[in-house]
Amino acid sequence: MRTTRKETDTVQIGLIGLGRMGSNMRERWRSAQIDVIGYDYISPDSDVPSLEDLVLALPTPRIVWTMVPAGEATRKTITQLADLLDAGDLVIDGGNSHYTDDSDLAEHLAARSIGYLDCGVSGGVWGKQYGYGLMVGGDSNDVQRAMPLFDALRPQGLRDEGFVHTGPVGTGHFAKMVHNSIEYGLMQAYAEGYELLLSNTDLMDTTAIMRAWTKGTVVRSWLLELLVSALERDPQLADITGHTEDSGEGRWAIEYALSHAVPATTLANAVFARFRSRQPDSPTMKAVSALRQQFGGHATQPRPTSA
């Protein structure tokens, strides 16, 4: 039986997706006295057995937040929600969807008088403890309606230091895309600096040098602190390989830069560096080596023969 929410009722939300981010967000909301009903079709921590049960458990008007993989999974989930929710309900997509997908999703829901917000969420596995940075696109009235949820997720302190209403639908995910591409560039810069330090055998302690940069210097940042933490456990990073995946936002940012003639060279190089990391032997550099031999007779390094 469906109930109607009263003004004095506890804030309630349905959360779809209980992976690392989703489950931590659920706990942070609950610690702020927000009633969260979580659903995940593969997680044993799901509070309800189905999407239909999630919708039935929420009083109207409902707010449902999705934290599922970008692309088809998000489109399928929101399409299913459109058939289950009522006019006046609100859907918030907090995953890393492509910003161009948002307008189609919003239009599909709007045809049923259901609201839609796109929310870029940053904070990773540390967000539960320190709070999440939030970038929200959509109608101002819908943003204000969901503000108790945003306030519970964001870091303590001034709202505008951890939350922003970015503009119309799609701009929240666009801002998150740019945020993640900057993250790519920052990580690449710190990593190249680490390798430069490591190459100088006169330096006594590479980790100590980078640790000394974490306070007072112009390159201090939380990412640097995380790198130092990793190096303290494994100074040579001997336990891992350099193979590095990308989750898509960096590529999308470069595609946008190309189509709008924005010279995002550092961000592009950071994405390409990840591609190189997955190559056991670079076809590009083999071709360069072959060309040097062809035009100048320069020596090449033969591939070792197997024993």
Side-chain angles (χ1 to χ4, degrees):
M1 179 178 178
R2 294 175 179 173
T3 58
T4 302
R5 191 192 317 276
K6 300 176 182 178
E7 290 297 324
T8 56
D9 285 346
T10 301
V11 177
Q12 292 178 300
I13 184 174
L15 175 63
I16 302 171
L18 298 173
R20 285 174 296 181
M21 287 280 284
S23 59
N24 282 343
M25 290 166 62
R26 178 174 63 173
E27 293 308 307
R28 187 169 175 88
W29 272 321
R30 286 177 172 172
S31 69
Q33 309 307 309
I34 289 174
D35 184 10
V36 186
I37 301 174
Y39 168 68
D40 192 307
Y41 77 98
I42 60 172
S43 173
D45 296 325
S46 187
D47 299 316
V48 289
S50 70
L51 202 57
E52 292 80 1
D53 288 305
L54 172 73
V55 172
L56 287 171
L58 292 169
T60 59
R62 307 174 186 86
I63 300 179
V64 179
W65 188 303
T66 62
M67 288 297 292
V68 297
E72 183 57 31
T74 293
R75 286 190 290 270
K76 180 179 178 181
T77 299
I78 292 179
T79 299
Q80 290 175 324
L81 280 174
D83 294 331
L84 296 171
L85 297 174
D86 296 319
D89 291 344
L90 175 63
V91 174
I92 304 173
D93 177 20
N96 281 328
S97 294
H98 197 296
Y99 69 96
T100 58
D101 291 344
D102 290 312
S103 58
D104 290 340
L105 295 172
E107 289 176 9
H108 186 71
L109 292 169
R112 294 162 172 79
S113 298
I114 300 168
Y116 177 82
L117 297 174
D118 59 290
C119 181
V121 181
S122 179
V125 296
W126 297 93
K128 176 184 174 182
Q129 180 178 354
Y130 297 114
Y132 299 89
L134 306 172
M135 298 143 267
V136 183
D139 182 80
S140 296
N141 291 328
D142 289 334
V143 172
Q144 288 304 313
R145 175 180 166 189
M147 194 59 74
L149 300 171
F150 300 140
D151 281 341
L153 284 183
R154 67 175 176 82
Q156 293 182 347
L158 297 175
R159 179 183 288 164
D160 63 4
E161 293 180 351
F163 168 88
V164 61
H165 179 199
T166 52
V169 163
T171 59
H173 281 147
F174 182 87
K176 180 58 166 33
M177 176 190 74
V178 176
H179 165 282
N180 281 23
S181 67
I182 292 171
E183 180 184 296
Y184 279 41
L186 290 172
M187 287 192 287
Q188 187 68 26
Y190 285 131
E192 291 177 7
Y194 163 72
E195 185 169 3
L196 280 171
L197 292 173
L198 207 61
S199 70
N200 188 337
T201 56
D202 289 336
L203 298 178
M204 294 189 297
D205 190 337
T206 297
T207 303
I209 293 171
M210 302 198 84
R211 187 187 304 113
W213 293 348
T214 61
K215 304 292 182 183
T217 73
V218 296
V219 299
R220 66 188 184 276
S221 76
W222 184 54
L223 282 175
L224 179 59
E225 292 173 9
L226 292 177
L227 177 56
V228 170
S229 178
L231 293 174
E232 287 173 342
R233 291 192 300 271
D234 183 6
Q236 302 294 321
L237 300 179
D239 294 337
I240 60 174
T241 71
H243 183 109
T244 306
E245 294 291 342
D246 69 286
S247 55
E249 298 90 340
R251 301 187 192 205
W252 301 340
I254 301 312
E255 290 169 358
Y256 180 89
L258 288 170
S259 65
H260 290 75
V262 178
T265 52
T266 298
L267 308 185
N269 285 334
V271 174
F272 294 150
R274 296 195 180 196
F275 297 165
R276 287 196 302 271
S277 78
R278 302 167 207 163
Q279 296 178 314
D281 195 5
S282 168
T284 296
M285 296 316 299
K286 287 198 292 184
V288 171
S289 181
L291 282 167
R292 291 182 76 247
Q293 183 186 51
Q294 289 293 318
F295 72 69
H298 300 290
T300 60
Q301 181 175 318
R303 182 181 297 279
T305 57
S306 57

